[in-house]
Amino acid sequence: MELSDGRIYFAYTRYCGEDSYDDCNADIYAIISSDEGTTWSAPELVVKNTRRNVMSVSLLRLQDGRIAMHYLEKSDIMGYDFCECRPKIIFSSDECATWSTPVDIADVPCIYYVGNNDRLVQLKSGRIIIPYSHHFYKVSGKRSGIGDGTGVFAYSDDGGVTWQHSADRVYPPYGVTGGLMEPGVVELADGSLCCWFRTNAGCQYKAVSCDGGNHWSMPVPAPEFRSPSSPLSMKRDPSTGYLYAVWNNHHPLMSVPLATTRWGARTPLVIARSCDEAKSWDNHFVVENSPDHGYAYTAMYFRGNKLFLAYCCGGEPDCVRMLQDCKIKVVTLDVFDGQNMKIDHQAMNDHGARR
């Protein structure tokens, strides 16, 4: 996000242990750029892990000028071999210099809510909303796990002081194993909300709300987003109003190398544009396509005619955990000619975050 003085502020999860699984020890750090992402400051601790980890950061400039940071906190459940995952939110009124006391969005004990990075949205009405996949616990003796995900939406109408949850849940259709996972939401021009979900069914699924996220349609396949079990990111360019989506496009016409590693299914990383409110998508462009790496969990930030993408990019031979490394890449958006979209290689900056 952009600070009031024009600098770029990037918050991310930084592992602090010996491994980089989803629930390994990690804190939230931030780096700042004063030169359009060419160089970055030294990492500075923002949220210290006091339990198991903190992860999946979202930053949003609110309509009242404050900055909101949303994240997940994982902690052990005494007596079991699994953990809980709780959503938290903090606010800054001084451009990220200090932060408020965390607000626990889910006010019930022992819950597992999955909310991806860069998912916090404020609607035109002022409502703050964030989508989650609620995974119910499966417990057998002292062992436990999480079941299929269902979509649930937390929202606040008082600037984040209090939170409520949607009247409707979005339940996975029969046969979609793993359920509806890692959702995201975008407000369309007519005021409706479009939500998408990661699935194991070969493509993303989507649902629609016409009342600010309280009630939702049944989820349906989104064949325009063929993908492995991997999340999609979508945002609107505030300058043009166009929507952009980034995901692991597995359409057979993409013509990319075959995956050779465990995380290779999360390749290629592709970006596409919609000029008609997500009805159709054009200018598909391959951002990354190494068969030995995985690319996912993309944060998107528009700045003039450029789009900053920050995403996990781990892979062999450097590492075997996709989440271990992070990359920032800058894409120019003003060179659409109806056929392709070009990458500004001069502005590209690979910012390693190896643990």
Side-chain angles (χ1 to χ4, degrees):
M1 62 160 295
E2 181 177 344
L3 299 176
S4 60
D5 60 7
R7 292 179 300 162
I8 301 172
Y9 184 93
F10 175 56
Y12 64 101
T13 296
R14 183 178 183 182
Y15 289 103
C16 55
E18 296 300 320
D19 215 325
S20 55
Y21 290 105
D22 280 4
D23 55 358
C24 288
N25 291 336
D27 305 310
I28 293 174
Y29 276 72
I31 52 177
I32 298 175
S33 176
S34 302
D35 55 10
E36 299 297 312
T38 302
T39 62
W40 296 86
S41 65
E44 181 177 340
L45 179 65
V46 180
V47 181
K48 176 65 178 174
N49 162 43
T50 59
R51 299 193 177 188
R52 184 178 286 200
N53 78 10
V54 284
M55 61 179 294
S56 299
V57 191
S58 290
L59 285 171
L60 182 67
R61 172 81 65 178
L62 300 178
Q63 294 169 5
D64 62 12
R66 292 178 302 149
I67 297 169
M69 178 186 289
H70 173 274
Y71 59 91
L72 302 178
E73 181 182 75
K74 290 185 177 178
S75 57
D76 295 316
I77 300 175
M78 186 175 296
Y80 293 95
D81 62 351
F82 211 63
C83 65
E84 69 171 348
C85 186
R86 306 186 66 80
K88 302 289 183 73
I89 193 166
I90 54 180
F91 302 93
S92 176
S93 299
D94 55 10
E95 298 300 302
C96 303
T98 61
W99 296 91
S100 65
T101 301
V103 175
D104 193 334
I105 293 177
D107 58 357
V108 296
C110 298
I111 201 165
Y112 203 95
Y113 270 13
V114 175
N116 275 18
N117 58 308
D118 200 17
R119 293 296 205 241
L120 192 61
V121 174
Q122 187 168 31
L123 309 182
K124 298 173 188 175
S125 65
R127 170 172 288 184
I128 305 171
I129 188 167
I130 186 162
Y132 300 103
S133 180
H134 183 192
H135 294 264
F136 291 92
Y137 289 107
K138 299 186 296 184
V139 179
S140 176
K142 293 296 181 181
R143 297 188 61 81
S144 60
I146 56 172
D148 293 354
T150 61
V152 64
F153 303 82
Y155 63 88
S156 174
D157 292 324
D158 57 10
V161 177
T162 60
W163 291 83
Q164 303 178 61
H165 291 77
S166 56
D168 285 354
R169 287 177 175 268
V170 183
Y171 291 95
Y174 177 77
V176 179
T177 60
L180 302 174
M181 300 175 281
E182 299 182 333
V185 67
V186 67
E187 185 174 21
L188 301 180
D190 63 3
S192 64
L193 303 184
C194 177
C195 180
W196 62 91
F197 301 88
R198 163 189 165 185
T199 75
N200 293 326
C203 68
Q204 304 285 310
Y205 269 57
K206 59 186 177 182
V208 176
S209 173
C210 295
D211 62 359
N214 202 33
H215 297 90
W216 290 86
S217 67
M218 294 290 291
V220 296
E224 65 270 31
F225 298 126
R226 298 194 189 188
S227 66
S229 183
S230 182
L232 174 144
S233 296
M234 187 188 302
K235 269 191 177 181
R236 186 182 301 278
D237 181 352
S239 298
T240 64
Y242 297 152
L243 293 170
Y244 289 85
V246 185
W247 78 106
N248 299 127
N249 192 339
H250 275 203
H251 193 284
L253 296 180
M254 288 308 300
S255 301
V256 296
L258 295 176
T260 59
T261 67
R262 175 185 176 188
W263 297 113
R266 289 180 170 178
T267 189
L269 187 69
V270 173
I271 185 170
R273 179 189 69 176
S274 175
C275 303
D276 57 8
E277 295 300 300
K279 296 182 180 66
S280 63
W281 296 87
D282 61 20
N283 294 88
H284 292 67
F285 184 87
V286 177
V287 179
E288 301 274 12
N289 65 356
S290 167
D292 300 322
H293 290 70
Y295 307 98
Y297 301 104
T298 307
M300 305 171 68
Y301 164 62
F302 292 93
R303 187 176 176 92
N305 69 337
K306 296 178 180 179
L307 171 58
F308 284 69
L309 304 175
Y311 48 90
C312 297
C313 62
E316 296 179 347
D318 300 317
C319 59
V320 294
R321 303 279 177 247
M322 192 206 74
L323 301 181
Q324 179 176 316
D325 285 1
C326 176
K327 178 183 285 189
I328 297 173
K329 181 171 283 192
V330 183
V331 177
T332 57
L333 300 176
D334 61 348
V335 286
F336 280 87
D337 56 11
Q339 297 182 15
N340 209 337
M341 183 179 67
K342 299 176 182 178
I343 286 190
D344 180 359
H345 290 284
Q346 297 300 318
M348 186 178 71
N349 176 54
D350 293 352
H351 187 83
R354 185 162 298 121
R355 313 298 162 238

